[in-house]
Amino acid sequence: MPRTALLVSAALLTALLSPTASHAADDPAPVPVDRFEGEVPFASQPAEGIFTWGSGTDDPPALQLTARSDAPEGAEVLAGSYDIGGYGGFTHDYASTEPAHDWSAHKGIRFWWDGQDNGKKVAFEIKDGGANGEASELWTTSFTDDWTGWRQVEIPFTDFVYRTDYQPVGGIDHVLGLTGMWGYAVTLPVGVKGRFAMDDVELYGRADQSLRANVTTDAAVYPVKEGGTAAVKVTVATTGSAPIDDPVTVAYETAGGTADPGKDYTPVSGTLTFPAGTASGTSKTIEVPTLRDKAAESAETVPLKLTVTGAKAPAETPQVVVDAHGLPYLDAKLPVRKRVADLVSRMSLAEKAGQMTQAERGAVGDGGDIATYALGSLLSGGGSTPTPNTPEAWAKMIDAFQLRARATRFQIPLIYGVDAVHGHNNLSGATVMPHNIGIGATRDPRLAEQAGAVTAAEVRATGIPWDFAPCLCVSRDERWGRSYESFGEDPALVQSMETVIQGLQGRANGRDLSRNDKVLATAKHFVGDGGTEYGSSTTGTYKIDQGVTKVTRQQLEAVHLAPFETAVDRGIGTVMPSYSSLDVLGDGQGPVKMHARADMINGVLKDRMGFDGFVISDWNAIDQLPGDYASHVRTSVDAGLDMMMVPYTYKDFTGTLVDEVKAGRISERRIDDAVSRILTQKFRLGLFEHPYADTTGAAAIGSPEHRAVARRAAAESQVLLKNSGGLLPLKKSEKVYVAGSDADDIGNQSGGWTLTWQGSSGNITPGTTILQGMREAGGNLTYSKDASAPTDGYDVGVVVVGETPYAEGVGDVGNGHSLQLSAADRATVDKVCAAMKCAVLIVSGRPQLIGDRLDGIDALVASWLPGTEGEGVADVLYGKLPFTGQLPVTWPRSESQLPINVGDASYDPQFPYGWGLTTLTRVPQGGATTLRALALAATAAERAGADRTGRELVAEARLLVQQKVGQRITEPVAKPFADADHLLLTGRYGEAVQKLTEAYRAA
């Protein structure tokens, strides 16, 4: 068939199938955007070009310009293939060195698409405003590939909506102006191998006023106390802020809803007129009076129907809500228990199901589904942030979601949760603390509490009352990608750091939760997530994360359950089960996913330990249970889970839960228990009285006072492993050569869970790098990242190397990560340490294998992931503060030793658990005689309950032993040395000194 005939056939098909394809005779000529004839190169900014992108190295599609005889326009088309696991697509950006384009004269954008009839949605975005194509607002829509062969897809600009789940910029004006356009992007389907072809992208049609002008209301919901008057502000606005050309009318009337006209409110109707020439942004107000009666009532709705002529109407009908009033659960003077019982007695099954549901903020868009499904909770996953990512924007976003909850019958407030695992780490500019492994290295429970208090204050000041922290995992294998989320490998160390719970929540009785600087905390991940066996994971390419923990009942109790018992005693408000499976040897069950273990959640946590908070699932975790979806819901709820984190499947969950209860497969008693637990915490948080953000503490976010706590934590977390010749602390008079990949990288030193789930390298958030901290300390420095600068003439080198960020199973050793320094890092260490005396700082979430280079290194520091306050690292390097940190985990000689932990029968590490040299501190003299005296004194302190004295005596003994041992760490030294630190943490001070004496003799 000749090409011209093909074009005619395609055009005729389009006209038949797409009613939008007809065009007015006076429409302007189409304006080409892409003809795909080679006029736009494959290139990225600043040049104009087409480029691909994706979530990983395998996800960007393969693109080429291909000659095809059936090309709808010209001789070539853009063709490609794809196999996307995360996300991927391609972009055409205009040159950032040239002015943006003006598309405002046109109706929309269209292109030819070679359909594969795969039934998949293809997302199409356009870029508006900002400095360039990669710093512009994204407006999105989609079409479904459900045909075969070429078809012209026409998309009016009115179809595009502002992306709420992701924006690359801090917000411009949230208006599709069309006068500053930078191009478009196509996101291809996920989870299916495919190919595509595209041709002739162009602007079409003539813009009309309904495209350029729109009518909005200042809110979607207008709560008002009974007898008050709601004021609905109606605004007309235009893209580009030009006055309207033609009149715009808005007819309004109150109709429908659950309120009774004449009894609950006075009906209103009428018309607002905005004459031609009205300035953009002009507003008029509609008042809806409500009426007072004497009855106690739940909330009632009054929809205000708006009919707009001459402009685009609001996306939804605004609702006036007469607040619930006079009901017992609203009486703040009543005990929480009575308020909960009253409210639960009034709720429908659907409303209870909604309270048990947690959705992701990106899934609910503007939030209309919050009322539709009576949702009880929202969360921000890692990196799910508002635009711009500021405290004000967080508070405004959460307040907007809370406003939606006011449209529900009982106006139950949302509880919003976030993973603030080392500070308010999703928020740009927040104070980012060292990760938990560094906090464990401080051995400072008071500092852990202070870090929790700073985190709570910054989180609550942005309107968030709930933190998915702390992680109480006991990390038993450093190959685990989450090992840095643990305080350490010893349950006694983890328990000692649980003062962080009081920092987050306040007093154990929950009376501080309503304060504007406290949050509900979450103990995670129950139970045994730190003990999974390497190679047991069945999640994607993970190796150990989400695997199987095989333990005896005694090991389970002593190692993994003990921290949760402490958390319950400290009043922890919520608990999150682990993705992992638990295999208790001898119980006959085999490996069972923790989200299904009723014996552990109901039996141990709730019944035996007396946990009275609520249990929240992990992200989509119930989907990992065996069976169909109904069994996922049934099994997890019956196991004792009270709220489900079902980020994007909240509709399926609520519907299935209701069906299971109606069918009698889940008891209503279990539902009432779950909802009662959730509501109890909402009442304790004061959310019913104060659902909106209290931002009075926002000025303290990232403040010098808060950063001072993080700086101290960074300093105390530094563990000095080796210090030949007293190289550290540095002298300000010394000429220092600084090198290494992590010396000047705030992203690397902060690690995963910083701004995004996985974190990233680079200047991602305000803070001070280690290099900057050294400069501010007054050091005489030269910096060369890769040590390419000449190395002659320096007194000492400081090489800062280590890991790049990762999180969860993505960071498992064997999943693209190892315990070895990178080749570049090894080369930098070798070059600097061969040229001068050197100190090597390892920035990492776990030990790195350094034994083959240890002889050539004069001083070695485990810096962990110190967060945004690199000045804290400089404080100990230059002697402003002493090195006092101790290893929270065993530092292995080789990977073949793993797992290796304190208490093992065979124990021969590079550095034992508890090891940590000090500076600026006098080491006791006298050897074995001194140790005998210290043992007697420590035993006496233990008997007298003088814990502080006991700890100080053990610390003196440890310093004495470390001085004698030096770097001659053998198994007879390491085993009793590590055991001593465990004994210290369990209050057995006399035995601890005896173990240290054993290590001293072995040395």
Side-chain angles (χ1 to χ4, degrees), residues 293-634:
D293 59 30
K294 295 181 180 180
E297 294 174 305
S298 58
E300 298 169 308
T301 58
V302 185
L304 182 64
K305 182 181 178 182
L306 303 178
T307 304
V308 179
T309 304
K312 187 177 181 180
E316 58 185 302
T317 298
Q319 289 191 82
V320 173
V321 178
V322 183
D323 286 340
H325 53 278
L327 300 173
Y329 78 89
L330 295 169
D331 185 355
K333 295 178 181 178
L334 288 177
V336 167
R337 176 178 49 82
K338 289 188 176 181
R339 298 178 74 183
V340 169
D342 176 68
L343 180 51
V344 171
S345 71
R346 299 174 186 278
M347 296 170 67
S348 69
L349 176 58
E351 288 166 332
K352 293 173 183 177
Q355 285 302 300
M356 294 174 66
T357 307
Q358 183 181 66
E360 218 286 330
R361 58 168 285 278
V364 299
D366 290 335
D369 278 355
I370 292 169
T372 302
Y373 293 91
L375 296 179
S377 181
L378 295 182
L379 84 152
S380 279
S384 177
T385 66
T387 303
N389 188 0
T390 62
E392 297 79 11
W394 277 94
K396 181 179 179 182
M397 174 188 73
I398 292 165
D399 282 355
F401 289 141
Q402 288 287 18
L403 181 64
R404 295 289 190 161
R406 306 301 290 174
T408 59
R409 199 162 57 119
F410 298 113
Q411 298 182 307
I412 302 172
L414 294 166
I415 180 169
Y416 199 101
V418 67
D419 285 281
V421 298
H422 62 138
H424 195 357
N425 43 257
N426 278 304
L427 171 64
S428 180
T431 306
V432 177
M433 300 286 171
H435 269 294
N436 283 354
I437 195 168
I439 299 295
T442 71
R443 296 297 199 281
D444 189 341
R446 187 166 175 269
L447 184 59
E449 183 173 351
Q450 290 173 342
V454 168
T455 299
E458 296 199 1
V459 169
R460 193 69 182 255
T462 57
I464 300 169
W466 185 13
D467 184 5
F468 304 133
C471 186
L472 301 183
C473 49
V474 182
S475 177
R476 306 292 283 180
D477 191 330
E478 279 61 61
R479 291 172 291 188
W480 186 34
R482 302 192 82 142
S483 58
Y484 64 76
E485 294 188 51
S486 172
F487 291 113
E489 69 186 34
D490 183 354
L493 175 58
V494 175
Q495 288 172 288
S496 73
M497 293 295 112
E498 291 186 50
T499 49
V500 68
I501 294 171
Q502 265 56 66
L504 292 166
Q505 290 195 166
R507 288 174 291 180
N509 58 17
R511 290 185 179 179
D512 294 332
L513 283 173
S514 61
R515 284 171 38 176
N516 67 357
D517 63 347
K518 294 300 175 189
V519 294
L520 195 68
T522 307
K524 64 183 188 183
H525 301 90
F526 186 80
V527 60
D529 56 335
T532 50
E533 188 174 88
Y534 191 82
S536 66
S537 181
T538 56
T539 301
T541 57
Y542 292 6
K543 300 298 181 183
I544 185 171
D545 188 35
Q546 303 185 22
V548 179
T549 297
K550 295 181 181 179
V551 286
T552 64
R553 175 64 64 173
Q554 183 180 10
Q555 290 169 330
L556 175 66
E557 294 284 348
V559 177
H560 299 292
L561 277 171
F564 287 92
E565 191 142 21
T566 300
V568 172
D569 290 343
R570 287 186 171 275
I572 194 77
T574 60
V575 171
M576 181 184 293
S578 174
Y579 281 115
S580 57
S581 299
L582 180 62
D583 186 357
V584 181
L585 302 178
D587 74 352
Q589 294 190 63
V592 178
K593 283 282 186 182
M594 272 307 308
H595 281 71
R597 290 213 63 142
D599 61 328
M600 300 305 300
I601 299 172
N602 285 328
V604 174
L605 178 65
K606 291 183 174 180
D607 294 342
R608 194 187 86 190
M609 293 184 182
F611 173 62
D612 64 358
F614 70 88
V615 178
I616 170 73
S617 86
D618 210 333
W619 180 283
N620 276 336
I622 66 170
D623 291 347
Q624 295 189 9
L625 301 181
D628 59 14
Y629 191 70
S631 70
H632 296 171
V633 173
R634 186 168 61 250

Side-chain angles (χ1 to χ4, degrees), residues 799-960:
V799 188
V800 189
V801 293
E803 296 185 307
T804 53
Y806 55 80
E808 300 192 33
V810 175
D812 285 352
V813 168
N815 189 23
H817 295 267
S818 78
L819 298 182
Q820 299 280 352
L821 296 177
S822 70
D825 280 352
R826 294 197 298 269
T828 303
V829 170
D830 291 347
K831 183 173 182 180
V832 175
C833 293
M836 65 194 81
K837 291 181 179 179
C838 72
V840 174
L841 277 60
I842 297 181
V843 173
S844 65
R846 53 196 168 194
Q848 302 291 284
L849 301 175
I850 197 74
D852 59 341
R853 285 173 167 75
L854 195 54
D855 289 343
I857 296 170
D858 298 286
L860 180 65
V861 179
S863 289
W864 309 115
L865 298 168
T868 52
E869 307 314 298
E871 293 160 309
V873 181
D875 285 340
V876 292
L877 286 178
Y878 276 99
K880 182 177 180 179
L881 294 172
F883 277 95
T884 56
Q886 295 176 247
L887 283 181
V889 294
T890 301
W891 197 286
R893 294 184 187 275
S894 67
E895 192 172 332
S896 63
Q897 289 185 313
L898 297 174
I900 182 171
N901 294 287
V902 58
D904 288 354
S906 176
Y907 189 76
D908 185 24
Q910 192 82 61
F911 299 101
Y913 169 77
W915 186 265
L917 306 177
T918 191
T919 54
L920 311 181
T921 302
R922 180 189 63 81
V923 177
Q925 303 297 312
T929 302
T930 303
L931 285 170
R932 279 195 297 273
L934 289 170
L936 289 171
T939 301
E942 180 182 335
R943 288 172 180 165
D947 290 329
R948 180 174 179 180
T949 300
R951 289 193 295 267
E952 290 173 349
L953 292 165
V954 177
E956 284 195 46
R958 182 176 63 84
L959 295 179
L960 193 156

Side-chain angles (χ1 to χ4, degrees), residues 643-691:
M643 181 184 287
M644 299 300 171
M645 190 185 294
V646 280
Y648 296 95
T649 56
Y650 57 90
K651 298 176 186 178
D652 294 335
F653 173 73
T654 54
T656 303
L657 179 59
V658 168
D659 289 345
E660 288 297 293
V661 176
K662 287 181 176 178
R665 291 185 286 267
I666 297 175
S667 72
E668 291 193 45
R669 182 179 178 184
R670 169 77 268 267
I671 299 300
D672 286 352
D673 172 59
V675 175
S676 296
R677 288 169 174 269
I678 294 164
L679 293 176
T680 296
Q681 300 301 343
K682 290 187 176 185
F683 279 117
R684 286 177 173 173
L685 285 161
L687 295 177
F688 280 82
E689 288 71 45
H690 304 288

Side-chain angles (χ1 to χ4, degrees), residues 161-296:
V161 296
Y162 185 83
R163 274 194 69 168
T164 57
D165 59 334
Y166 170 74
Q167 285 287 341
V169 294
I172 299 166
D173 58 7
H174 300 261
V175 173
L176 181 56
L178 299 172
T179 56
M181 303 302 295
W182 290 105
Y184 65 89
V186 175
T187 301
L188 294 162
V190 174
V192 59
K193 288 185 178 181
R195 61 181 180 86
F196 76 95
M198 184 180 188
D199 199 14
D200 193 24
V201 183
E202 63 184 14
L203 309 176
Y204 75 94
R206 181 185 302 279
D208 56 33
Q209 181 165 287
S210 64
L211 169 66
R212 199 170 60 82
N214 61 88
V215 168
T216 60
T217 58
D218 55 329
V221 178
Y222 296 84
V224 61
K225 293 186 183 300
E226 185 191 41
T229 298
V232 180
K233 187 164 73 173
V234 180
T235 302
V236 64
T238 63
T239 56
S241 299
I244 57 176
D245 295 327
D246 301 309
V248 172
T249 60
V250 181
Y252 61 89
E253 63 174 327
T254 49
T258 58
D260 292 332
K263 176 186 174 187
D264 297 312
Y265 70 97
T266 301
V268 297
S269 61
T271 301
L272 303 179
T273 301
F274 298 90
T278 297
S280 177
T282 299
S283 300
K284 297 177 183 290
T285 300
I286 302 169
E287 293 190 344
V288 181
T290 67
L291 303 174
R292 189 183 299 275
D293 59 30
K294 295 181 180 180

